[in-house]
Amino acid sequence: MPKVSVVIPTYNYGHFLGEAIQSVLDQTFADFELIIVDDGSTDNTKEVVSSSRINASSIYTRRTAVWLPLVIPA
C-alpha cells in the first residue's frame, strides 16, 4: 500500500493535465499512487491520460454525467 495518494480531479482540463501528471512523476518520492478522476470530460482528457507514462498502479476513472430531476416539495 502506497504511503501517499495523489488525486487529480479533472473536467475538461486536458490542456493542463499532462503537465500535472508529469509534475507528480518528476517527484523524488516514489511510494505513491496516482488517481485521476475525470468528471465526464468532453475534451481530450482521456487521450492525455492514455499517452502519459503512468504505470499500471495508477488509476484513471471517468464518471459520466448523471442528471437527476430537481424535486421541490409542494
Side-chain angles (χ1 to χ4, degrees):
M1 176 178 228
K3 288 187 178 185
V4 175
S5 296
V6 179
V7 181
I8 302 176
T10 184
Y11 176 74
N12 288 340
Y13 278 99
H15 53 286
F16 294 118
L17 189 57
E19 186 177 346
I21 293 170
Q22 192 58 50
S23 176
V24 173
L25 297 176
D26 287 344
Q27 301 303 309
T28 56
F29 185 79
D31 192 9
F32 68 88
E33 64 181 346
L34 176 58
I35 302 168
I36 302 168
V37 181
D38 180 3
D39 195 16
S41 294
T42 57
D43 66 350
N44 67 334
T45 295
K46 184 176 180 180
E47 290 78 17
V48 171
V49 173
S50 297
S51 68
S52 298
R53 55 179 186 88
I54 56 177
N55 61 30
S57 67
S58 299
I59 300 167
Y60 170 72
T61 182
R62 183 175 190 274
R63 187 178 79 157
T64 56
V66 176
W67 297 96
L68 301 175
L70 176 62
V71 177
I72 301 174

